[in-house]
Amino acid sequence: MPRRSSGLAALCLTGVLLAATACGGSSGGGDGGTVELRFGWWGNNDRAAATQRVIDAFQARNPGIRVKGSYTDFNSYFDRLATEVAGGRAPDVITLGGAYPREYGDRGALLDLSKTGLKTDRIGAAALDNGKFGGVQYGVPTGVNAIAVVVNEAVFDKAGVALPKDDTWTWDDFKRTATELAGKLPKGSFALADPTRTDMLDAYSRQRGEALYTADGKVGITQPTLVDWWTMTLDLQRAGATPPASQTAELITQPAPEQSLMGRGQAAMQFDWSNQLTALGKAAGQPLRLMRLPGESPRPGMWLQASQIYSINARSEHPREAAMFVDFLVNSEEAGKIILADRGIPANSEVRTAVQDVLGEPEKAQATFIDALTPKAGPPLVIGPAGSTDTPKILDRVNAEVLFGRVRPAAAADDFIRQVGTAIQ
């Protein structure tokens, strides 16, 4: 699930992107009539290598179609995509997440997948609805995941701190655990990186009967909830449980798993998406585990979410072939056995069953975690309205002011609510 991304100010809002242009058949292209598709996603080198293997497998089955992959790190991906869409140069198959299917779909930039014949009957409605807005299926999920606490037990053991019981721990328990770790970890290591991110605000506020956004498209999180959150994170920073503000600002620009404190072996905990377990464990050089968020009782804030969404560019000259490729990505057991759980536990039930026996230990841990969470998860997430893709950067800016001590939590809360409200009007 995306953490931070830019807005879509670069998008043309005057109807230059018309879905009708992609509803016809395919036109020829490339050498000897070969159709060339472009496929864009975000990720690290490991994801790129696996994705290329999937592309190779698809091309072997469809010799008349050539797929050109393109990827970048998460922070750069949406900036580049906004520029490509505005310039009419977006990939044929686009990877999205969060509010982006709505943002781009509402502007006519995405094809209605229900018109392509793409099969979705093996994908659960909860995950499928992550790509459906206003009755239009703008995207299909790559897999299912959840926000979680990634834990390095070895760091806990070296510090002599007991692991909390994740079925009962509260935010006070979390704060005590993080503070205890801070007093026992070596210099340069921390209990966790600063936890302020939009998905965590959503989970934290949902536990209080709120949400980051309301169903009618307004800001749902309240000022007292934000004040409590920032009061807690400031206490963690002062205790040395999280890095100083300058290091947090640096870490924000380094989103890859291997660049994180957890990936460097310098953190005991990290709030992240469950599908990041494999990459983080590989970077850290040791097995990690997943735990539920603090404060999940009596009202759960965690939810099941499509980890990523595949959509088709409404301007694609080859919508039929693009739909064939998306079908291969989400419905093919062959692709599933290559991707495994990197993009979440497969959303297609048949693919999920097919990969079960070939999953590695981290992927099995993800599947077990999702299975255990499913009956305990809260209601579906309210996806942000148009303009909400600005929220992560707004949060980063306001959070920096708090951590550097330039703004108090109450003023920061008011400023955050005001800026987000303006962005989504």
Side-chain angles (χ1 to χ4, degrees), residues 28 56 102 114 117-118 272 309 369 393:
D56 292 343
R102 172 181 283 175
S114 67
L118 179 68
D272 215 323
I309 296 286
F369 181 77
K393 284 200 170 182

Side-chain angles (χ1 to χ4, degrees), residues 44-405:
N44 59 10
N45 292 336
D46 290 337
R47 176 174 290 172
T51 303
Q52 186 57 53
R53 289 172 58 201
V54 173
I55 290 173
D56 292 343
F58 174 78
Q59 291 178 154
R61 288 179 174 270
N62 300 275
I65 306 174
R66 183 166 63 237
V67 180
K68 181 179 181 181
S70 176
Y71 76 101
T72 185
D73 66 85
F74 184 84
N75 283 356
S76 304
Y77 177 78
F78 290 97
D79 290 328
R80 186 176 74 176
L81 181 62
T83 301
E84 289 175 332
V85 171
R89 296 175 285 103
D92 299 273
V93 178
I94 305 169
T95 307
L96 297 171
Y100 278 99
R102 172 181 283 175
E103 286 271 6
Y104 283 110
D106 285 352
R107 288 163 169 79
L110 304 178
L111 189 64
D112 181 352
L113 297 186
S114 67
K115 298 180 179 179
T116 67
L118 179 68
K119 293 182 178 180
T120 59
D121 55 305
R122 295 293 181 179
I123 299 175
L128 199 60
D129 284 350
N130 279 251
K132 189 174 185 177
F133 302 96
V136 181
Q137 196 72 51
Y138 289 124
V140 292
T142 64
V144 180
N145 65 357
I147 191 69
V149 186
V150 181
V151 174
N152 189 329
E153 292 185 77
V155 175
F156 271 85
D157 291 342
K158 288 180 181 178
V161 176
L163 280 175
K165 296 180 179 179
D166 72 339
D167 56 339
T168 58
W169 69 330
T170 65
W171 284 103
D172 285 339
D173 295 330
F174 162 75
K175 184 177 174 182
R176 281 193 295 271
T177 299
T179 302
E180 184 180 0
L181 284 163
K184 297 180 178 181
L185 291 174
K187 185 177 180 180
S189 292
F190 301 91
L192 72 160
D194 178 74
T196 304
R197 40 191 289 170
T198 54
D199 41 36
M200 284 308 303
L201 289 187
D202 233 325
Y204 188 71
S205 61
R206 280 162 58 93
Q207 292 174 349
R208 295 175 169 220
E210 303 172 4
L212 192 50
Y213 308 104
T214 63
D216 59 351
K218 296 182 174 60
V219 179
I221 193 168
T222 64
Q223 199 251 21
T225 294
L226 286 165
V227 169
D228 287 348
W229 176 266
W230 270 313
T231 299
M232 176 183 68
T233 61
L234 280 174
D235 287 345
L236 292 173
Q237 184 193 59
R238 293 176 185 130
T242 58
S246 57
Q247 189 172 353
T248 294
E250 181 182 352
L251 287 168
I252 287 174
T253 67
Q254 301 173 340
E258 54 270 17
Q259 296 171 318
S260 67
L261 292 179
M262 179 63 68
R264 299 174 195 170
Q266 297 173 343
M269 298 180 286
Q270 178 167 310
F271 291 107
D272 215 323
W273 291 94
S274 57
N275 69 308
Q276 290 298 298
L277 185 69
T278 302
L280 286 168
K282 181 178 180 180
Q286 57 193 58
L288 307 174
R289 65 175 289 176
L290 295 170
M291 291 175 48
R292 294 172 67 201
L293 300 185
E296 282 292 283
S297 178
R299 180 186 285 116
M302 297 175 69
W303 68 95
L304 297 176
Q305 179 164 310
S307 48
Q308 296 170 23
I309 296 286
Y310 291 135
S311 296
I312 296 177
N313 182 358
R315 281 186 132 180
S316 172
E317 295 181 358
H318 312 291
R320 184 177 69 86
E321 289 82 359
M324 290 170 60
F325 181 53
V326 172
D327 179 77
F328 187 77
L329 289 170
V330 299
N331 293 327
S332 163
E333 293 182 9
E334 184 177 5
K337 290 179 179 179
I338 296 172
I339 297 172
L340 298 176
D342 180 64
R343 287 174 166 94
I345 301 303
N348 181 302
S349 59
E350 290 184 345
V351 174
R352 187 160 60 246
T353 299
V355 305
Q356 200 69 33
D357 292 338
V358 296
L359 291 177
E361 289 306 314
E363 290 82 14
K364 289 179 180 177
Q366 294 174 49
T368 299
F369 181 77
I370 293 297
D371 287 344
L373 175 64
T374 298
K376 301 176 182 178
L381 183 72
V382 176
I383 302 294
S388 63
T389 51
D390 282 340
T391 300
K393 284 200 170 182
I394 293 171
L395 181 60
D396 283 346
R397 292 194 299 267
V398 176
N399 188 52
E401 295 294 296
V402 173
L403 296 182
F404 278 103

Side-chain angles (χ1 to χ4, degrees), residues 11-19 21 85-86 88 107-108 315:
L11 276 174
C12 299
L13 305 181
T14 56
V16 297
L17 303 173
L18 300 178
T21 59
V85 171
R107 288 163 169 79
R315 281 186 132 180

